[in-house]
Amino acid sequence: MVLTGRAALLAGAGVVFVALVMPSWAGVGLVVAVVLVVCVVDLLLAGSPRRLQFSRDGDNAVRLGEQAVVQLLVTNPGRRVRGWLRDAWPPSAGVQDPPHKLDLPSGERRRLVTHLVPTRRGDRHAVRVTVRAFGPMGFAGRQGSHEVPWTVRALPPFNSRKHLPSRLARLRELDGRTALLVRGQGTEFDSLQDYVPGDDVRSIDWRATARRGNVVLRTWRPERDRQVVIVIDSGRLSAGRVGDAPRLDHAMDAALLLAALATRAGDRVSLLACDSAVRADVRRPAPQDVLPSFVNALANVEAELVQTDFRIVVSQVLERLGQRSLVVLLTGLDPAVIEESLLPVIGPLLRRHVVVLASVADPRLTELESARTDLPEVYAAASAARTRLDRDRLTATLTRAGVTVVDEDPDHIAPALADTYLALKKAGRL
Amino acid sequence: MSTPLGRSAGESWRVLRTPLLVTGLIVLAAIVILIATSARTSGPFSPDSTDSDGARALAALLENHGVDVHSTETLDDAVQPGEGKALIIGPAGSLGRPDLERIAQARWSHLVLIRPGSRALEILAPGVQQTGDVLSSRSREAQCDLPAAVRAGTVTVSGPTYSAPSAAVACYGDGINNTVVRLEVGDRIVDVVGTPTSFTNAQLADDGNAALALNLIGTHQDLTWYLPQFESTDTGTADSGSAPLIPPDVRYIGWALAFAVLVVAIWRGRRLGPVVAERLPVIVHAAETTEGRARLYRRSRARDRAAAALRESALGQLHEAHGIPRRADPSAVVATVAARTGRDPVMLYELLYGLPPLSDAALMSLSHELDVLTQEVRKP
């Protein structure tokens, strides 16, 4: 049961009535009786929210920061329902609409539209639909709720896709589709063609030249159909916020750019998100499915406040890779964690594969280190310098061990990782 | 597709009716028991009170001796025609002058005033006056020829005392200050008793208290036991003279207002569905450990560690900028940097490899100089 402002107004008028006309118990009783009778009659004449029928339709997934549209179809088999309807979602689903005004005559149906702009990644479930139906006089009404399930999945935003065209152009250069022939170690033999003055004489195939009688050149192209495994650490190293998002989100962004690029380069990309257990696992999807399957798998991965078990990472990666492959590990450069739990177990991975470790650097450290106007800031600068020195030392250790380290700001980590991939490909190290 | 939540009206009624019925029965039973056992009066010297300062024992004793005790708290019972009847006026409350005059005109045959005030004495027992002395609690002889007191023997007496006119009989005192005074006003006997504690449940069994009480009070078959209440004296008290502070209509307006407030509360109090709660991720800033370490440095005044970190950082930048090998000798580093920047090599050595600063000011200046040095290196 709900009352409205009109009922309150009536009761307020009752106070005036008692004060001016009937200052007695009878007056008070009369006012109470009138208000009660009006409200009860109105309540009995109101339509029933419980008898309404609902169904939903609309978007199932939306990229974070964009708008999803979910429709709610309300059917009224009973008496006319006039009032308000609230389509309740969790706060981070970002409902844009105030409660809907509803006027639904008997036997009709209406389509109400709810706009959602999710503020966090992951699945957002509709909570309930609450309807408040007022009586014909508008003094009192009934209220009831319905469970109308629907889920909108907020996918990782993939902001770094703006870097994709420039990297694809460089990939084409590399690929030989623009007539650039570079011989690198580990590149694959492509074809033989006639020598033109200006070509690299080191590329002349003397055996074929002898066979044919004119000078023949070997051409090369980068390898294709290589395996790339992207491992995202979803443990506590990824929980820390850099800027306004956790490291994990920046890592996902970089992973998506790399996946898009590597797919276009003809490589097979797999994804693994892991902390103390595997959180997402996508194995070699078809090229056209790479991005959709990755964003879907990553949508519900949140950073857990546990220590990542790198033994799981190593065994999972080794299990799915036969040939020499690229393993990209997106984690944090924390000396204690990396030295104690990653370095002891990474040996088997390094022997067979190329390992890249990418970490999101915190621009806040640079800020702390450069601001030195008062004593607390000097101590902060010293502390930040110590952190950076530790990271540099760790980077050196990892590089010596054969790991390629990419340590960049959130804004630059995705392109930097893509560039590292291109450089590795160009050098024929895959 | 959609499922209604919560219970319908019928379901609610089916679920709630048994608890409601049980609750209703319990409340009803409680009310019945309360009415059945409730005393008509309460408080000190009440004939219905079984507390230590009540007088239930005396009332029971009087009833055993064939006296009909009517306890009351309303003035109307005390001003009814009282020929052949007795009236006790209890100590509580302060009756107004018109009330006392009405009691005086009611023609009670016997009036017992328990610890009366001066206004009551003036109207109901003329000539008797409160003396201001207070007797301590102990056993006393009657010291008078009032038969009721003489037969009772010693009595535990305490409380205010009264002076009696010569026509009256005064007992339990030193002749001037007495605690029991009996006088006759017209054809009415008036007893003034200053010691109500003697007749309470706690002390009735001591000495001859019970005997004195029975002899004094149990003179008539019909006894009205009146305990004046403050509210019974407030309304209609003519000698206050002025109009009541709050007009009586305000009460009704107040009730109507309370009802309106209730309606407003129900109107504003009902939400359009419950608040939706959500699990939120923990927000940890990645630089938090670094900032924490900075505070630790500062709290423990770790100038040596801070200076070492700053120097190492600056050296790293110098190495990079001047292409000095990582493992270069300090003197080689100083020589190279001095050659590039034109600084004094001794000062430079002190700056880069000197002792830890001894004060915060020294740390500040060290930090500043290192900053300047690295900036110089960065610029050209």
Side-chain angles (χ1 to χ4, degrees):
Chain A
M1 187 200 79
V2 287
L3 297 180
T4 65
R6 290 188 197 180
L9 211 61
L10 188 64
V15 175
V16 177
F17 174 77
V18 167
L20 300 180
V21 184
M22 271 181 87
S24 65
W25 284 120
V28 176
L30 186 66
V31 167
V32 172
V34 165
V35 172
L36 284 184
V37 165
V38 166
C39 288
V40 166
V41 166
D42 212 25
L43 190 66
L44 293 176
L45 290 176
S48 167
R50 292 180 58 83
R51 294 190 57 195
L52 295 177
Q53 287 158 4
F54 297 88
S55 63
R56 279 195 199 269
D57 194 6
D59 296 340
N60 277 311
V62 63
R63 209 168 256 164
L64 191 65
E66 292 175 7
Q67 180 169 278
V69 176
V70 177
Q71 286 145 5
L72 185 67
L73 201 64
V74 195
T75 314
N76 182 12
R79 245 180 312 181
R80 182 193 188 104
V81 169
R82 270 188 331 114
W84 295 97
L85 181 145
R86 173 183 170 221
D87 190 6
W89 290 75
S92 67
V95 174
Q96 303 294 302
D97 318 86
H100 302 279
K101 207 165 164 54
L102 192 67
D103 188 357
L104 197 54
S106 177
E108 290 196 12
R109 65 172 57 176
R110 288 269 188 285
R111 186 178 292 274
L112 302 172
V113 179
T114 302
H115 298 88
L116 305 172
V117 181
T119 54
R120 272 197 305 133
R121 212 160 24 76
D123 283 350
R124 298 288 163 261
H125 306 282
V127 179
R128 56 166 73 190
V129 173
T130 304
V131 178
R132 177 177 289 190
F134 296 119
M137 293 180 283
F139 282 91
R142 295 202 241 172
Q143 184 168 316
S145 295
H146 289 256
E147 185 109 53
V148 194
W150 193 258
T151 301
V152 171
R153 173 167 287 187
L155 304 170
F158 195 13
N159 292 326
S160 61
R161 63 182 181 276
K162 59 175 180 273
H163 297 294
L164 194 55
S166 61
R167 266 67 193 178
L168 285 177
R170 285 173 53 187
L171 184 70
R172 274 196 295 277
E173 269 172 33
L174 211 64
D175 228 7
R177 265 175 251 167
T178 51
L180 189 83
L181 304 177
V182 183
R183 187 188 174 181
Q185 53 177 24
T187 43
E188 286 176 350
F189 172 71
D190 185 27
S191 61
L192 291 171
Q193 63 182 52
D194 286 343
Y195 175 80
V196 180
D199 278 345
D200 189 354
V201 289
R202 289 174 298 180
S203 298
I204 295 172
D205 186 338
W206 293 109
R207 208 181 281 257
T209 304
R211 242 187 343 259
R212 283 212 201 166
N214 57 342
V215 183
V216 170
L217 207 63
R218 273 174 186 240
T219 58
W220 310 88
R221 60 167 182 145
E223 321 92 313
R224 295 180 69 88
D225 294 319
R226 294 297 153 132
Q227 296 281 343
V228 177
V229 178
I230 303 173
V231 181
I232 295 181
D233 173 5
S234 59
R236 66 182 179 90
L237 288 186
S238 295
R241 285 190 171 237
V242 176
D244 55 358
R247 274 212 174 96
L248 183 67
D249 289 26
H250 300 302
M252 284 181 185
D253 208 34
L256 290 174
L257 181 64
L258 178 60
L261 186 62
T263 307
R264 295 291 280 270
D267 290 335
R268 311 296 301 271
V269 192
S270 303
L271 175 79
L272 184 70
C274 186
D275 42 84
S276 57
V278 175
R279 304 288 170 192
D281 184 0
V282 185
R283 299 194 183 197
R284 278 181 278 177
Q288 68 274 16
D289 290 342
V290 168
L291 278 184
S293 60
F294 277 24
V295 291
N296 255 317
L298 289 175
N300 281 321
V301 175
E302 294 288 346
E304 304 285 330
L305 294 182
V306 293
Q307 179 70 57
T308 302
D309 189 347
F310 286 105
R311 284 171 304 180
I312 300 180
V313 173
V314 170
S315 63
Q316 286 278 337
V317 171
L318 285 177
E319 180 200 316
R320 68 185 65 188
L321 291 180
Q323 66 194 91
R324 186 174 166 80
S325 314
L326 174 65
V327 178
V328 178
L329 194 54
L330 285 151
T331 179
L333 273 179
D334 183 296
V337 176
I338 299 295
E339 276 168 15
E340 277 167 28
S341 61
L342 177 63
L343 281 180
V345 298
I346 204 173
L349 219 53
L350 283 171
R351 273 195 291 283
R352 297 187 52 188
H353 305 295
V354 180
V355 178
V356 173
L357 191 149
S359 164
V360 182
D362 191 352
R364 172 96 183 114
L365 288 183
T366 321
E367 264 171 46
L368 284 178
E369 205 178 339
S370 54
R372 298 182 179 186
T373 49
D374 59 8
L375 192 65
E377 282 188 355
V378 168
Y379 278 116
S383 176
R386 174 57 61 206
T387 306
R388 192 172 53 75
L389 290 166
D390 289 347
R391 283 172 77 102
D392 289 350
R393 194 171 304 121
L394 179 64
T395 306
T397 312
L398 285 168
T399 310
R400 268 201 305 283
V403 179
T404 309
V405 178
V406 181
D407 184 17
E408 285 289 343
D409 286 352
D411 292 342
H412 302 117
I413 181 71
L417 186 60
D419 290 345
T420 307
Y421 167 78
L422 289 173
L424 286 172
K425 206 157 178 67
K426 191 172 178 183
R429 284 190 55 200
L430 294 186
Chain B
M1 176 91 194
S2 62
T3 327
L5 293 171
R7 294 192 279 254
S8 71
E11 284 166 346
S12 306
W13 168 241
R14 272 195 294 284
V15 169
L16 286 177
R17 66 185 165 188
T18 311
L20 279 178
L21 199 67
V22 170
T23 315
L25 280 178
I26 290 173
V27 169
L28 203 67
I31 290 171
V32 166
I33 291 170
L34 212 63
I35 289 173
T37 61
S38 69
R40 293 185 62 195
T41 61
S42 61
F45 208 63
S46 155
D48 299 310
S49 167
T50 51
D51 293 341
S52 59
D53 62 352
R56 180 95 185 92
L58 178 55
L61 212 55
L62 287 166
E63 273 168 3
N64 285 348
H65 284 76
V67 179
D68 221 353
V69 180
H70 310 284
S71 59
T72 179
E73 289 182 349
T74 53
L75 184 63
D76 291 344
D77 292 331
V79 297
Q80 65 193 359
E83 284 108 344
K85 296 179 186 171
L87 173 72
I88 301 183
I89 299 178
S94 56
L95 288 168
R97 191 175 292 273
D99 299 336
L100 290 168
E101 274 163 3
R102 284 174 70 198
I103 292 172
Q105 285 155 14
R107 294 190 296 183
W108 295 95
S109 299
H110 184 189
L111 264 180
V112 181
L113 309 177
I114 307 294
R115 208 169 64 196
S118 52
R119 192 157 53 199
L121 288 173
E122 188 187 326
I123 295 166
L124 296 175
V128 181
Q129 281 181 339
Q130 202 161 358
T131 58
D133 273 11
V134 174
L135 289 182
S136 59
S137 175
R138 76 180 162 87
S139 293
R140 290 169 202 274
E141 292 287 341
Q143 294 179 335
C144 64
D145 50 3
L146 183 70
V150 172
R151 269 182 276 147
T154 60
V155 170
T156 316
V157 165
S158 63
T161 57
Y162 301 92
S163 64
S166 55
V169 187
C171 303
Y172 305 108
D174 51 11
I176 303 161
N177 303 328
N178 307 284
T179 195
V180 173
V181 177
R182 166 166 288 188
L183 71 163
E184 291 185 18
V185 182
D187 55 354
R188 169 194 302 164
I189 299 170
V190 177
D191 288 333
V192 176
V193 179
T195 170
T197 52
S198 307
F199 304 152
T200 57
N201 294 337
Q203 292 187 14
L204 192 65
D206 299 349
D207 282 335
N209 292 1
L212 176 66
L214 279 178
N215 293 339
L216 271 184
I217 301 166
T219 50
H220 290 77
Q221 286 288 316
D222 203 330
L223 175 66
T224 300
W225 194 308
Y226 173 49
L227 292 170
Q229 302 296 304
F230 282 102
E231 55 265 37
S232 68
T233 62
D234 274 351
T235 51
T237 310
D239 59 359
S240 68
S242 60
L245 290 172
I246 302 171
D249 292 356
V250 168
R251 186 157 32 145
Y252 308 117
I253 299 171
W255 281 108
L257 204 60
F259 177 69
V261 167
L262 181 73
V263 172
V264 170
I266 295 174
W267 166 41
R268 299 309 303 172
R270 189 81 198 266
R271 244 180 240 290
L272 193 55
V275 173
V276 181
E278 180 180 24
R279 279 171 58 99
L280 290 174
V282 185
I283 293 183
V284 191
H285 292 283
E288 220 156 70
T289 48
T290 304
E291 282 164 0
R293 179 161 54 192
R295 283 192 289 274
L296 276 181
Y297 276 174
R298 196 177 161 217
R299 196 184 304 162
S300 55
R301 299 203 170 77
R303 287 184 285 269
D304 48 348
R305 286 176 184 280
L310 291 172
R311 279 171 169 157
E312 206 178 319
S313 161
L315 275 172
Q317 290 177 43
L318 292 175
H319 278 291
E320 211 171 299
H322 297 304
I324 307 166
R326 280 258 156 216
R327 306 232 171 266
D329 197 44
S331 55
V333 175
V334 169
T336 315
V337 177
R340 294 279 176 92
T341 59
R343 283 170 178 245
D344 178 17
V346 180
M347 299 276 281
L348 208 52
Y349 188 88
E350 179 60 31
L351 177 63
L352 289 173
Y353 297 100
L355 294 171
L358 293 174
S359 66
D360 286 340
L363 178 65
M364 290 281 292
S365 73
L366 174 78
S367 152
H368 178 69
E369 281 175 43
L370 287 173
D371 211 20
V372 170
L373 182 63
T374 49
Q375 299 253 341
E376 272 176 25
V377 167
R378 235 175 280 151
K379 263 175 201 160

